[in-house]
């Protein structure tokens, strides 16, 4: 089985199929913290001027206004998490590590 780091390293000019495989690898490696749930997994190009890909959205079960969106950053072979809630909107540091994504979600529980 290909690890997330390997899959990210091998991405060149990804298409929807390659991004879906990356998302599937991520979800197989990711430990979703208690209180968070996956709410969307349809990959698509982000709605801004970048060529970033949206991979997956999470929602906090006890606070539905608290969401997190995970993006594959164009040309960088890294992932970045965007956390949004009534109190804050923030971007995580780019990462290639599923345990870092778990830790960020846990910190926002």
């Amino acid at each position: 089985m290909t690890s997330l780091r390997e899959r990210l390293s091998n991405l060149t000019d990804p298409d929807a199929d390659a991004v879906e495989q990356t998302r599937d690898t991520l979800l197989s490696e990711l430990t979703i913290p208690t209180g968070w749930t996956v709410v969307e997994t349809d990959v698509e190009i982000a709605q801004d001027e970048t060529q970033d890909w949206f991979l997956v959205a999470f929602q906090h079960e006890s606070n539905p206004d608290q969401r997190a969106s995970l993006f594959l950053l164009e040309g960088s072979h890294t992932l970045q998490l965007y956390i949004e809630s009534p109190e804050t909107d923030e971007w995580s540091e780019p990462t290639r590590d599923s345990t870092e994504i778990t830790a960020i979600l846990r910190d926002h529980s």
Side-chain angles (χ1 to χ4, degrees):
M1 179 177 203
T2 304
S3 75
L4 179 61
R5 285 180 184 269
E6 289 174 286
R7 190 162 302 281
L8 289 170
S9 293
N10 293 327
L11 281 179
T12 55
D13 196 27
D15 60 11
D17 289 338
V19 175
E20 286 176 355
Q21 291 173 4
T22 302
R23 181 218 44 224
D24 293 346
T25 301
L26 166 74
L27 290 174
S28 72
E29 290 185 15
L30 188 66
T31 302
I32 301 171
T34 301
W36 287 95
T37 188
V38 173
V39 292
E40 187 176 347
T41 60
D42 294 335
V43 301
E44 62 185 359
I45 293 285
Q47 300 295 321
D48 56 19
E49 271 94 62
T50 69
Q51 291 296 305
D52 298 343
W53 284 87
F54 169 81
L55 295 182
V56 63
F58 304 93
Q59 186 172 38
H60 200 276
E61 294 169 351
S62 65
N63 182 3
D65 290 335
Q66 187 170 0
R67 296 177 55 92
S69 300
L70 189 65
F71 295 88
L72 170 63
L73 301 181
E74 188 246 341
S76 70
H77 305 278
T78 58
L79 305 173
Q80 190 171 31
L81 198 59
Y82 178 69
I83 305 285
E84 55 186 320
S85 71
E87 297 83 34
T88 187
D89 293 329
E90 66 183 71
W91 288 98
S92 69
E93 290 296 318
T95 184
R96 299 173 70 185
D97 187 343
S98 61
T99 60
E100 287 183 29
I101 295 166
T102 296
I104 294 165
L105 290 172
R106 189 177 300 115
D107 289 346
H108 287 87
S109 289

